[in-house]
């Protein structure tokens, strides 16, 4: 008797070609339903509709198609059990040898901003998960495929052995687990209920090691969003530390929309060491690298516009670990091919925007979860607290510095002028120490520059020290019991200070 395959897929990529190979190369008969059956029939393939196979018409608007003993009996029958074989014969049920099913696109549906409750609920698949789980449970006798990526390997290996069947069953249960997790997470959000943290991320790849060579590490990522969707054009495989640095660079870059200005961010050890905006990308990239050329060596660079040949001029003679851009011209790729170890990636901004708005950090025995700090700058809430207001030029510098400082590890200080960072102090145990580092890096360029702090000034010492170096404007959250001391220090020196009412700590 010819082997029997049941095919019902939402993702129809490659399904016609796969079904044709099943029929023509391996002698399968086909059962199918809905749009899949129509696609197979239109391609000239012999296919029996599920309703004809079961003798029961679809009902309830298509909600009930495959929920039938002739389907599930055929899937769940154990061919080495005499009682099962007797049941099949008594009920005249054909054994189903292969189930090819992937589920209604629930996650794509709920990704729509205006999706209604009714639409989302109607997209929940019932028959599909039931068939997948049944076939996975009975994997010794029924093979199950849930992803078009499995088709080619399956065709080459059929008939498949137990070990391969077990692996396919594992992938099937992972498929339904991720599906159920997406549904329950969405429902909890709609109802305002606390959600269980359910991570169903596929393994992207096993990394060579983690932060250090003695630490094992893996990279889990959805392939259609964030770094999982990035296209690596050249260079060695990404490392654990590369991914952390790339994420820090891209996170800072997203503060600077491409339509607003060309922007470049240079990151070292997850901290920006140079950030610049300019009228064109070549200028922005040159300024960002020039802001701290020592730290830029071996760093990570992210740019917000298409990387062209002109922009590559600033990279000559500079060793970089990674460079990411939304697009890279053919000429730029040819130039950068001379740096074969440079990891070169394309990642359009829209693929970042589709990533989940949840930030996870592990702690001993558990996980912390919070919203990403994506809040836009609420400039209408900013308050000038000194006698002198910022000049138009200072306002530009303060806005720029405030965008950058939220991406520097606390205690964070950023000194900037004319769209370029001049000095950055990061991760110190006190704010005075961070300010000292930033002021030393800025040097003489600090005169007339602006200073941003991610947290309030507990004392006036930072203001007094910065004033001695020529800083003319400050921006900080405010909220210290001794705010008046810092304000008084500014007024005494003829400086200006803005309170934002928001802090942006990054631990």
């Amino acid at each position: 008797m010819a082997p029997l395959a049941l095919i019902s897929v939402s993702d129809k990529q490659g399904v016609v070609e796969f079904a044709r190979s099943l029929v023509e190369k391996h002698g399968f008969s086909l059962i199918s339903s809905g749009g899949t059956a129509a696609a197979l029939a239109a391609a000239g393939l012999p296919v029996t509709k599920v309703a004809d196979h079961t003798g029961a018409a679809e009902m309830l608007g298509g909600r009930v198609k495959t929920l039938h003993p002739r389907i599930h009996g055929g899937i769940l029958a154990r061919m080495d059990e005499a009682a099962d074989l007797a049941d099949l014969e008594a009920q005249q049920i054909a054994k189903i040898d292969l189930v090819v099913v992937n589920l209604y696109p629930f996650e794509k549906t709920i990704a729509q901003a205006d999706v209604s409750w009714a639409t989302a609920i109607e997209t929940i698949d019932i028959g599909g998960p039931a068939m997948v789980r049944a076939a996975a449970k009975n994997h010794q006798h029924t093979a199950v495929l849930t992803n078009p990526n499995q088709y080619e390997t399956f065709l080459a290996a059929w008939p498949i052995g137990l070990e391969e069947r077990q692996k396919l069953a594992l992938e099937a249960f992972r498929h339904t687990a991720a599906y159920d997790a997406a549904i329950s997470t969405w429902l909890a959000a709609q109802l305002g209920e606390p959600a269980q943290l359910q991570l169903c991320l596929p393994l992207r790849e096993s990394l060579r090691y983690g932060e250090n060579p003695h630490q094992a590490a893996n990279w889990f990522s959805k392939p259609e969003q964030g770094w999982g969707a990035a296209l690596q054009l050249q260079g060695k495989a990404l490392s654990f530390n590369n991914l952390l640095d790339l994420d820090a660079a891209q996170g800072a870059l997203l503060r600077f929309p491409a339509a607003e200005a060309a922007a470049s961010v240079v990151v070292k050890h997850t901290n920006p060491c140079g950030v610049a905006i300019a009228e064109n990308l070549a200028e922005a990239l040159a300024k960002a690298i020039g802001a701290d050329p020592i730290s830029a060596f071996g760093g990570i660079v992210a740019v917000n516009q298409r990387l062209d040949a002109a922009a590559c001029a600033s990279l000559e003679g500079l060793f970089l670990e990674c460079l990411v851009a939304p697009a890279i011209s053919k000429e730029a790729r040819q130039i950068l091919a001379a740096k074969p170890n440079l990891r070169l990636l394309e990642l359009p901004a829209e693929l970042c925007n589709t990533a989940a708005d949840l930030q996870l950090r592990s702690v001993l025995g558990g996980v912390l979860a919070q919203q990403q700090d994506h809040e836009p700058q609420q400039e209408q809430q900013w308050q000038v607290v000194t006698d002198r207001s910022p000049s138009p030029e200072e306002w530009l510098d303060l806005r720029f510095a405030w965008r950058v400082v939220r991406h520097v590890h606390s205690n964070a200080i950023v000194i900037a002028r004319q769209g370029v960072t001049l000095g950055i102090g990061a991760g110190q145990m006190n704010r005075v120490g961070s300010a000292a580092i930033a002021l030393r890096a800025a040097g003489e360029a600090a005169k007339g520059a602006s200073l941003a702090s991610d947290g309030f000034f507990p004392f006036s010492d930072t203001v007094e020290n910065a004033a001695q170096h020529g800083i003319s404007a400050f921006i900080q959250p405010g909220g210290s019991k001794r705010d008046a001391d810092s304000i008084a220090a500014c007024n005494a020196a003829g400086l200006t200070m803005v309170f934002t009412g928001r802090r942006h700590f990054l631990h």
Side-chain angles (χ1 to χ4, degrees):
M1 183 180 295
L4 183 59
L6 190 157
I7 306 178
S8 180
V9 292
S10 291
D11 182 355
K12 294 180 174 54
Q13 175 188 345
V15 71
V16 170
E17 295 79 5
F18 174 68
R20 190 181 305 280
S21 293
L22 287 178
V23 172
E24 296 179 355
K25 294 183 179 180
H26 298 296
F28 272 82
S29 297
L30 305 179
I31 307 171
S32 189
S33 65
T36 306
L40 299 180
L45 292 171
V47 58
T48 300
K49 292 183 179 181
V50 164
D52 294 332
H53 180 77
T54 62
E58 294 182 10
M59 59 184 294
L60 306 182
R63 282 186 166 196
V64 176
K65 295 191 287 281
T66 58
L67 298 173
H68 194 281
R70 290 184 64 80
I71 296 296
H72 286 274
I75 294 173
L76 285 164
R78 294 160 293 187
M79 304 307 287
D80 54 0
E81 290 281 343
D84 286 11
L85 294 176
D87 285 341
L88 292 184
E89 184 175 358
Q91 300 292 331
Q92 295 186 329
I93 295 174
K95 178 70 182 79
I96 295 174
D97 303 281
L98 171 64
V99 169
V100 184
V101 171
N102 49 62
L103 309 177
Y104 293 167
F106 183 80
E107 287 187 281
K108 289 184 179 179
T109 299
I110 61 173
Q112 301 169 21
D114 58 347
V115 66
S116 68
W117 173 277
T119 297
I121 294 299
E122 200 57 36
T123 313
I124 297 175
D125 202 327
I126 301 299
M131 290 188 291
V132 170
R133 290 175 62 84
K137 176 177 180 175
N138 198 36
H139 58 268
Q140 286 183 277
H141 308 282
T142 307
V144 57
L145 302 180
T146 53
N147 193 311
N149 294 335
Q150 299 169 324
Y151 295 168
E152 184 177 350
T153 301
F154 177 86
L155 289 170
W158 179 260
I160 59 175
L162 179 59
E163 182 178 357
E164 184 56 35
R165 289 171 176 270
Q166 290 171 334
K167 291 179 180 179
L168 291 174
L170 170 61
E171 290 305 311
F173 281 120
R174 283 175 171 169
H175 187 59
T176 57
Y179 195 74
D180 287 339
I183 294 169
S184 62
T185 299
W186 181 83
L187 286 172
Q190 301 308 301
L191 298 174
E193 296 286 336
Q196 290 183 324
L197 179 61
Q198 302 178 84
L199 292 179
C200 295
L201 296 175
L203 176 66
R204 169 65 181 257
E205 63 183 82
S206 294
L207 304 174
R208 288 178 60 202
Y209 52 81
E211 285 184 289
N212 299 289
H214 59 274
Q215 293 173 269
N218 292 308
W219 176 15
F220 300 89
S221 180
K222 292 187 176 181
E224 70 276 6
Q225 56 185 227
W227 294 109
L231 177 63
Q232 184 171 348
L233 302 176
Q234 68 171 52
K236 297 181 290 185
L238 293 171
S239 72
F240 185 94
N241 292 335
N242 288 157
L243 286 162
L244 290 177
D245 285 337
L246 281 165
D247 203 54
Q250 194 70 16
L253 190 71
L254 292 177
R255 301 290 165 207
F256 302 97
E260 186 179 292
S264 178
V265 176
V266 185
V267 159
K268 196 72 170 288
H269 303 303
T270 72
N271 274 307
C273 57
V275 182
I277 57 174
E279 291 185 359
N280 60 73
L281 188 58
E283 184 180 357
L285 186 54
K287 287 182 175 179
I289 293 170
D292 188 351
I294 295 176
S295 297
F297 182 85
I300 307 288
V301 170
V303 297
N304 70 343
Q305 295 181 359
R306 181 173 182 264
L307 185 73
D308 57 18
C312 292
S314 301
L315 305 177
E316 186 175 352
L318 176 64
F319 168 67
L320 294 173
E321 288 281 352
C322 306
L323 192 155
V324 59
I328 301 172
S329 73
K330 180 180 178 180
E331 294 76 17
R333 290 181 62 174
Q334 291 172 341
I335 293 170
L336 295 176
K339 298 175 177 285
N341 290 329
L342 171 66
R343 299 165 176 89
L344 189 62
L345 298 99
E346 286 186 340
L347 180 63
E350 57 268 21
L351 296 180
C352 299
N353 297 334
T354 60
D357 188 37
L358 191 65
Q359 187 177 46
L360 303 178
R361 298 280 294 274
S362 62
V363 293
L364 191 62
V367 173
L368 302 176
Q370 68 172 353
Q371 280 185 315
Q372 296 275 5
D373 186 8
H374 288 328
E375 183 185 65
Q377 293 188 174
Q378 305 290 336
E379 296 186 20
Q380 69 276 13
Q381 299 176 7
W382 292 5
Q383 181 184 7
V384 178
V385 294
T386 49
D387 294 339
R388 183 172 77 80
S389 293
S391 68
E393 292 78 14
E394 287 171 330
W395 271 121
L396 291 174
D397 293 342
L398 291 171
R399 291 187 182 101
F400 173 80
W402 189 246
R403 290 188 187 187
V404 176
V405 76
R406 66 199 293 177
H407 294 279
V408 179
H409 287 273
S410 301
N411 291 301
I413 297 290
V414 169
I415 297 170
R417 191 174 189 187
Q418 296 181 342
V420 183
T421 56
L422 305 174
I424 297 175
Q428 299 304 299
M429 283 60 74
N430 61 76
R431 202 159 296 281
V432 174
S434 289
I437 292 171
L439 290 164
R440 182 168 62 248
E444 290 298 314
K447 293 179 180 178
S450 294
L451 182 149
S453 171
D454 67 341
F456 60 62
F457 297 137
F459 303 100
S460 61
D461 44 12
T462 298
V463 172
E464 292 163 352
N465 185 22
Q468 292 176 6
H469 286 77
I471 296 294
S472 68
F474 298 83
I475 187 167
Q476 56 131 323
S480 169
K481 292 181 179 179
R482 303 187 65 168
D483 277 344
D485 294 351
S486 295
I487 294 170
C490 283
N491 286 333
L495 310 178
T496 184
M497 181 178 286
V498 173
F499 282 3
T500 66
R502 279 284 190 275
R503 77 178 194 193
H504 290 289
F505 286 168
L506 179 63
H507 281 80

